[in-house]
């Protein structure tokens, strides 16, 4: 039978005869290499994002982590573990599922042992080193305790937690362990908030030549300024970095007198700062928090910074609209054509239609309880009916002007 | 890079012109914080393939694994890999535990990880761990995490409405309680 049909089809033009065309099987065609052979998306991305380690490497500029003899440490730890195993009370608690460890102690021990490796990883995740030091990094070997206090409530700074600007109005208490004769400097910068230069930072606080851990006795180079992330820009990182000084450094060229409310003067670049003084400075401590806009900032902008409050909105990429076709088959003509019109013009038409029924002096009529129950006068084509229904129900493009 | 459009629509106020802040020329603003968009819920989140298991639809994901002696819990980011970790292998935890894989080890690991998560600003973490027993070790671990303040669900990515969409959903960053 098929043989006969084949003969028959060869006599006529296959393009014109749909009956014959239906007999041709359009099988499944595999494009490209089969799945086992072709590279996966992950492999492709790895190839694209590959960075040559001989060119893209990072330099450790920080203080070295404390060196501990592995054998003595092991001995100590083994003896402790043995004692733990003999502790019958601990066993009882553990077996009854009631053992609760002391979180503070655990945290202290963590900061002393593996904590700085973990914090370094986390800071990389937050892009701290990349945006402050470029191709350099450091291990935060010196645990830095920063505490904001507002109305007797403490707001500690760790590594990325959220602190509202209203809680950080006054300068924080800073604590770290240090020898008496060592000199330190502490800097608080915001790499996300610069209004005009994208690769610069605002310096919020700078105390130099701190003897030991007495911040009050240090030399205040730049006075403390509270965080002021503008509305709509999201979360800004505010990074405390503690540098160890080799000797007393003269910071007079960076010194700002008074409260320094001129933002241009607070422009700062950690990379430049560090480059010029890298012989005498070594970063050792790190703490950072994130902060976003809150309602107290309006007053701060108006009264303290003496400027209009800037408000931003995220600029989403425009939706993809495929090139227009001559004959858009099986698509509603009005919806299709609207996609290729100027959106401002469409919005204007909606606005004009709305303003037609607005009286300048009278109050607007109350909204109808059942807007869709209004009768259509005369004969209205279906597409226009639908458009009207959509406008009544506030569906679709009418929302752009509402 | 995230560009934020300036839409300064404030009525003119009495601004003193002596301070240079008044004539700052602000046009585009770029927030360089790589975690900002994710926290604002508009960052890119991979969708993955819907029948794939485990899925890839997360910003941060909780992983839990156990070896012969220790338990390991990590927070994984879809691009950066492991970003936060805790395990009973760490001396800080091991020092205070009787055994490193029993129920109380799991529970305490959950407490420690929760504390670290809050300290690092990762409050919402995706988790596809289903505890095999309702009162077992894994359930204890998850319970400790949730008690510690970590939300084990991530909000969906906010996608901007296109002009022809039926509804305009509320923007997450405009919601203030």
């Amino acid at each position: 039978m098929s043989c006969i049909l084949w003969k028959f089809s060869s006599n006529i033009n296959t393009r014109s005869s749909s009956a014959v065309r239906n007999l041709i099987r359009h099988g499944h065609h595999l494009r490209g290499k089969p799945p086992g052979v072709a590279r996966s998306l992950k492999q492709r991305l790895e190839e694209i994002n590959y960075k040559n380690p001989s060119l893209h490497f990072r330099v450790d500029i920080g203080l070295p982590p404390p060196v501990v003899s592995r054998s003595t440490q092991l001995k100590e730890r083994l003896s402790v573990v043995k004692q733990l195993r003999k502790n019958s009370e601990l066993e009882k608690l553990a077996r009854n599922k009631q053992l609760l460890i002391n979180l503070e102690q655990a945290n202290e021990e963590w900061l002393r042992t593996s904590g700085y490796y973990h914090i370094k990883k986390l800071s990389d995740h937050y892009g701290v080193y990349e945006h402050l030091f470029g191709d350099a990094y450091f291990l935060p070997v010196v645990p830095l305790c920063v505490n904001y206090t507002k109305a007797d409530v403490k707001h500690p700074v760790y590594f990325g937690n959220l602190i509202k600007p209203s809680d950080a109005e006054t300068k924080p208490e800073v604590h770290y362990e240090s020898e008496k004769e060592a000199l330190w400097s502490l800097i608080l910068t915001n790499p996300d908030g610069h209004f005009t230069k994208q690769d610069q930072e605002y310096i919020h606080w700078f105390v130099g030549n701190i003897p030991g851990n007495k911040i009050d006795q240090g030399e205040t180079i730049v006075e403390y300024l509270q965080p002021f992330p503008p509305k709509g820009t999201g979360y800004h990182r505010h990074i405390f970095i503690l540098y160890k000084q080799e000797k007393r450094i003269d910071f007079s060229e960076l010194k700002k007198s008074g409260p320094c409310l001129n933002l241009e003067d607070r422009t700062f670049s950690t990379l430049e700062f560090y480059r010029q003084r890298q012989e005498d400075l070594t970063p050792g401590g790190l703490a950072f928090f994130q902060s976003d806009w809150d309602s107290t900032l309006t007053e701060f902008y108006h009264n303290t910074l003496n400027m209009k409050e800037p408000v931003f909105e995220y600029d989403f990429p425009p939706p993809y609209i495929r090139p227009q076709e001559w004959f858009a088959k099986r698509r509603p003509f009005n919806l299709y054509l609207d996609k290729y019109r100027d959106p401002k013009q469409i919005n204007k038409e909606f606005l004009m239609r709305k303003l037609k029924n607005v009286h300048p002096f009278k109050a607007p009529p109350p909204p109808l309880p059942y807007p869709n129950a209004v009768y259509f006068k005369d004969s209205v084509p279906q597409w226009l009916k639908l458009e009207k229904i959509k406008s009544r129900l506030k569906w679709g493009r009418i929302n752009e002007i509402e | 890079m995230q560009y934020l459009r300036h839409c300064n629509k404030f009525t003119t106020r009495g601004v003193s012109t002596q301070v240079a802040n008044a004539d700052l020329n602000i046009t585009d603003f770029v927030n360089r914080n790589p975690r900002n968009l994710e926290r604002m819920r508009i960052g890119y989140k991979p969708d993955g393939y819907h029948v794939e298991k485990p899925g890839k639809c997360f910003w941060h994901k909780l992983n839990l694994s156990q070896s012969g002696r220790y338990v390991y819990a990590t927070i994984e980011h879809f691009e950066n890999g492991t970003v936060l970790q805790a395990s009973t292998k760490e001396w800080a935890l091991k020092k205070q535990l009787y055994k490193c894989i029993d129920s109380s080890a799991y529970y305490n690991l959950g407490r420690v990880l929760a504390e670290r998560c809050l300290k690092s600003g990762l409050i919402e973490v995706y988790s596809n761990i289903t505890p095999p027993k309702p009162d077992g070790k894994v359930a204890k671990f998850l319970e400790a995490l949730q008690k510690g303040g970590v939300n084990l669900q991530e909000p969906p990515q906010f996608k901007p409405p296109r002009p022809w969409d039926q509804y305009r959903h509320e923007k997450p960053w405009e919601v203030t309680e």
Side-chain angles (χ1 to χ4, degrees):
Chain A
M1 178 69 188
S2 62
C3 166
I4 297 164
L5 263 177
W6 190 242
K7 269 185 187 169
F8 172 68
S9 67
S10 61
N11 291 337
I12 58 160
N13 188 355
T14 43
R15 276 195 180 179
S16 60
S17 161
S18 65
V20 175
R21 219 184 331 157
N22 286 342
L23 287 170
I24 301 165
R25 276 186 62 197
H26 295 288
H28 172 65
H29 294 282
L30 198 70
R31 288 189 302 164
K33 290 173 189 165
V37 181
R39 287 165 303 159
S40 66
L41 179 66
K42 199 179 169 190
Q43 286 167 323
R44 279 158 167 261
L45 284 173
E46 266 170 19
E47 245 170 64
I48 292 168
N49 298 329
Y50 174 76
K51 278 182 178 168
N52 189 349
S54 60
L55 297 173
H56 299 92
F57 60 92
R58 302 200 304 166
V59 189
D60 185 358
I61 54 168
L63 294 172
V67 183
V68 192
S69 157
R70 183 78 185 133
S71 58
T72 49
Q73 193 190 43
L74 256 178
K75 257 182 205 168
E76 276 173 31
R77 288 185 177 182
L78 267 175
S79 68
V80 173
V81 168
K82 270 182 187 168
Q83 277 177 355
L84 283 177
R85 278 310 174 91
K86 281 177 194 162
N87 191 341
S88 59
E89 275 182 32
L90 193 75
E91 185 180 357
K92 215 180 240 176
L93 283 174
R95 297 226 189 270
N96 289 331
K97 303 178 187 177
Q98 284 165 348
L99 176 63
L100 295 178
I101 62 169
N102 186 338
L103 286 181
E104 266 181 37
Q105 275 179 25
N107 185 45
E108 274 172 30
E109 188 66 42
W110 175 66
L111 285 177
R112 240 178 285 135
T113 49
S114 53
Y116 34 81
Y117 293 105
H118 295 187
I119 296 172
K120 190 221 148 202
K121 219 172 209 179
L122 199 69
S123 311
D124 269 334
H125 183 49
Y126 276 98
V128 169
Y129 302 125
E130 186 194 339
H131 291 143
L132 293 192
F133 295 102
D135 288 334
Y137 71 94
F138 66 91
L139 288 174
V141 186
V142 187
L144 190 62
C145 279
V146 185
N147 274 308
Y148 281 104
T149 319
K150 200 201 175 188
D152 293 336
V153 182
K154 277 193 174 180
H155 299 278
V157 178
Y158 298 110
F159 17 87
N161 55 328
L162 181 69
I163 293 179
K164 286 279 176 185
S166 56
D167 297 331
E169 276 168 0
T170 50
K171 63 182 169 191
E173 293 162 29
V174 181
H175 181 77
Y176 52 88
E177 282 173 16
S178 154
E179 301 129 22
K180 274 189 180 173
E181 58 272 19
L183 282 173
W184 302 83
S185 40
L186 180 74
I187 295 183
L188 169 62
T189 60
N190 170 10
D192 305 323
H194 205 285
F195 280 127
T196 45
K197 289 166 199 150
Q198 285 157 13
D199 52 347
Q200 298 274 312
E201 302 148 33
Y202 279 139
I203 185 162
H204 284 255
W205 197 27
F206 186 178
V207 188
N209 299 322
I210 306 167
N213 56 10
K214 287 159 192 150
I215 301 276
D216 311 333
Q217 292 173 18
E219 189 188 334
T220 304
I221 314 293
V222 182
E223 279 289 338
Y224 179 77
L225 185 71
Q226 69 159 88
F228 51 92
K231 194 175 183 178
T233 58
Y235 298 85
H236 292 209
R237 296 163 292 172
H238 292 78
I239 306 167
F240 288 91
I241 289 187
L242 184 71
Y243 297 90
K244 189 168 192 179
Q245 294 176 202
E246 297 293 316
K247 56 174 194 199
R248 209 172 178 82
I249 301 175
D250 180 27
F251 290 118
S252 57
E253 55 185 295
L254 294 168
K255 177 120 183 151
K256 303 277 186 293
S257 58
C260 185
L261 293 173
N262 189 351
L263 291 181
E264 275 302 300
D265 291 346
R266 280 192 183 257
T267 302
F268 186 75
S269 166
T270 302
L271 189 60
E272 274 306 303
F273 168 80
Y274 179 73
R275 222 175 239 156
Q276 287 164 13
R277 296 163 185 83
Q278 56 181 340
E279 298 299 320
D280 308 324
L281 283 177
T282 317
L286 174 73
F288 61 99
F289 65 96
Q290 297 187 84
S291 192
D292 70 334
W293 182 86
D294 73 0
S295 53
T296 59
L297 280 181
T298 309
E299 206 182 314
F300 177 78
Y301 273 107
H302 292 166
N303 298 340
T304 313
L305 290 181
N306 276 328
M307 61 189 282
K308 285 188 204 170
E309 190 189 13
V311 177
F312 299 88
E313 195 169 342
Y314 183 64
D315 206 1
F316 283 102
Y320 172 74
I321 295 170
R322 68 176 186 189
Q324 196 171 0
E325 293 163 36
W326 274 105
F327 302 105
K329 284 180 184 168
R330 296 194 212 104
R331 263 160 290 173
F333 78 96
N334 52 336
L335 302 186
Y336 183 78
L337 290 176
D338 270 356
K339 280 193 183 178
Y340 300 95
R341 285 174 66 200
D342 181 14
K344 276 185 188 167
Q345 183 62 30
I346 301 174
N347 294 348
K348 191 183 165 187
E349 281 169 18
F350 272 109
L351 191 69
M352 296 296 273
R353 237 169 280 153
K354 185 189 173 187
L355 291 180
K356 230 180 210 174
N357 302 323
V358 173
H359 196 276
F361 305 116
K362 284 180 195 165
L368 297 172
Y370 304 104
N372 235 358
V374 182
Y375 180 68
F376 286 106
K377 276 180 202 168
D378 308 329
S379 69
V380 180
Q382 195 61 47
W383 67 268
L384 195 58
K385 225 180 226 177
L386 190 66
E387 285 286 298
K388 284 185 175 175
I389 289 171
K390 275 164 74 183
S391 307
R392 287 171 183 176
L393 294 174
K394 309 277 185 247
W395 287 357
R397 285 184 186 268
I398 195 164
N399 283 306
E400 303 278 300
I401 58 147
E402 290 291 323
Chain B
M1 282 278 164
Q2 331 159 357
Y3 288 89
L4 295 137
R5 193 178 58 229
H6 193 225
C7 60
N8 201 338
K9 291 279 188 295
F10 273 72
T11 49
T12 47
R13 296 170 55 94
V15 177
S16 73
T17 44
Q18 287 133 8
V19 180
N21 290 339
D23 41 67
L24 268 178
N25 183 22
I26 307 168
T27 46
D28 281 346
F29 189 94
V30 178
N31 187 340
R32 289 193 287 172
N33 184 355
R35 302 283 77 79
N36 175 39
L37 290 185
E38 289 168 11
R39 192 137 188 188
M40 283 173 87
R41 295 213 219 151
I42 47 181
Y44 168 71
K45 188 176 188 175
D47 287 322
Y49 180 45
H50 69 285
V51 290
E52 194 177 19
K53 214 173 177 185
K56 289 188 180 350
C57 187
F58 60 85
W59 286 308
H60 294 99
K61 184 188 170 186
L62 174 69
N63 289 327
L64 182 70
S65 61
Q66 185 187 322
S67 69
R69 280 189 186 182
Y70 304 111
V71 201
Y72 308 85
T74 56
I75 305 288
E76 181 194 342
H77 184 254
F78 75 98
E79 274 176 340
N80 296 347
T82 303
V83 290
L84 189 67
Q85 66 221 74
S87 71
T88 51
K89 198 178 183 178
E90 286 170 25
W91 181 237
L93 274 83
K94 195 180 172 184
K95 203 179 157 186
Q96 299 187 47
L97 288 172
Y98 178 71
K99 259 188 162 184
C100 293
I101 43 167
D102 61 352
S103 282
S104 41
Y106 269 82
Y107 189 75
N108 285 308
L109 182 70
R111 286 172 69 212
V112 171
L113 187 69
E115 195 198 6
R116 288 183 194 171
C117 280
L118 294 198
K119 283 181 177 180
S120 53
L122 311 173
I123 314 161
E124 284 157 337
V125 174
Y126 165 80
S127 160
N128 62 354
I129 301 171
T130 42
K133 284 184 202 163
D135 55 346
K137 295 172 178 181
V138 181
K140 277 255 171 194
F141 168 77
L142 295 180
E143 185 201 321
L145 261 180
Q146 276 164 322
K147 264 193 191 170
V150 178
N151 190 353
L152 293 183
Q153 274 175 332
E154 262 186 340
Q157 182 191 347
F158 174 80
K159 293 192 175 155
R162 290 159 304 176
W164 50 87
D165 280 354
Q166 187 176 9
Y167 299 114
R168 302 290 180 273
H169 292 291
E170 212 169 22
K171 292 170 184 169
W173 58 92
E174 283 179 359
V175 181
T176 45
E177 288 101 338

mmCIF file of all heavy atoms in Angstrom, chain B residues 66-70 72 101:
data_model
loop_
_atom_site.group_PDB
_atom_site.id
_atom_site.type_symbol
_atom_site.label_atom_id
_atom_site.label_comp_id
_atom_site.label_asym_id
_atom_site.label_seq_id
_atom_site.Cartn_x
_atom_site.Cartn_y
_atom_site.Cartn_z
ATOM 1 N N GLN B 66 27.163 13.840 57.403
ATOM 2 C CA GLN B 66 27.770 13.189 58.555
ATOM 3 C C GLN B 66 28.841 12.226 58.086
ATOM 4 O O GLN B 66 28.653 11.492 57.120
ATOM 5 C CB GLN B 66 26.687 12.428 59.329
ATOM 6 C CG GLN B 66 27.219 11.814 60.608
ATOM 7 C CD GLN B 66 26.203 10.919 61.277
ATOM 8 O OE1 GLN B 66 25.019 11.213 61.282
ATOM 9 N NE2 GLN B 66 26.675 9.819 61.842
ATOM 10 N N SER B 67 29.980 12.257 58.755
ATOM 11 C CA SER B 67 30.998 11.253 58.480
ATOM 12 C C SER B 67 30.965 10.256 59.635
ATOM 13 O O SER B 67 30.065 10.300 60.476
ATOM 14 C CB SER B 67 32.358 11.933 58.353
ATOM 15 O OG SER B 67 32.759 12.409 59.606
ATOM 16 N N GLY B 68 31.939 9.390 59.711
ATOM 17 C CA GLY B 68 31.944 8.389 60.765
ATOM 18 C C GLY B 68 31.976 8.986 62.163
ATOM 19 O O GLY B 68 31.397 8.455 63.090
ATOM 20 N N ARG B 69 32.653 10.126 62.305
ATOM 21 C CA ARG B 69 32.828 10.686 63.644
ATOM 22 C C ARG B 69 32.135 12.015 63.869
ATOM 23 O O ARG B 69 31.823 12.356 64.986
ATOM 24 C CB ARG B 69 34.321 10.904 63.887
ATOM 25 C CG ARG B 69 35.053 9.676 64.270
ATOM 26 C CD ARG B 69 36.428 10.077 64.691
ATOM 27 N NE ARG B 69 37.244 8.900 64.951
ATOM 28 C CZ ARG B 69 38.488 8.980 65.370
ATOM 29 N NH1 ARG B 69 39.019 10.164 65.555
ATOM 30 N NH2 ARG B 69 39.186 7.899 65.594
ATOM 31 N N TYR B 70 31.984 12.789 62.776
ATOM 32 C CA TYR B 70 31.561 14.179 62.970
ATOM 33 C C TYR B 70 30.362 14.521 62.103
ATOM 34 O O TYR B 70 30.050 13.831 61.136
ATOM 35 C CB TYR B 70 32.707 15.138 62.639
ATOM 36 C CG TYR B 70 33.973 14.873 63.428
ATOM 37 C CD1 TYR B 70 35.109 14.374 62.803
ATOM 38 C CD2 TYR B 70 34.003 15.118 64.791
ATOM 39 C CE1 TYR B 70 36.263 14.124 63.524
ATOM 40 C CE2 TYR B 70 35.146 14.876 65.517
ATOM 41 C CZ TYR B 70 36.270 14.374 64.891
ATOM 42 O OH TYR B 70 37.408 14.134 65.610
ATOM 43 N N TYR B 72 28.722 17.765 59.826
ATOM 44 C CA TYR B 72 29.117 19.002 59.165
ATOM 45 C C TYR B 72 27.870 19.690 58.650
ATOM 46 O O TYR B 72 27.026 19.059 58.018
ATOM 47 C CB TYR B 72 30.049 18.743 57.980
ATOM 48 C CG TYR B 72 31.240 17.888 58.318
ATOM 49 C CD1 TYR B 72 31.155 16.507 58.305
ATOM 50 C CD2 TYR B 72 32.458 18.482 58.653
ATOM 51 C CE1 TYR B 72 32.239 15.728 58.620
ATOM 52 C CE2 TYR B 72 33.549 17.704 58.970
ATOM 53 C CZ TYR B 72 33.442 16.324 58.951
ATOM 54 O OH TYR B 72 34.524 15.554 59.263
ATOM 55 N N ILE B 101 28.573 12.801 67.227
ATOM 56 C CA ILE B 101 27.508 12.490 66.256
ATOM 57 C C ILE B 101 26.195 12.116 66.942
ATOM 58 O O ILE B 101 25.275 11.642 66.288
ATOM 59 C CB ILE B 101 27.886 11.358 65.278
ATOM 60 C CG1 ILE B 101 28.561 10.226 66.021
ATOM 61 C CG2 ILE B 101 28.699 11.850 64.132
ATOM 62 C CD1 ILE B 101 28.672 8.962 65.194
#
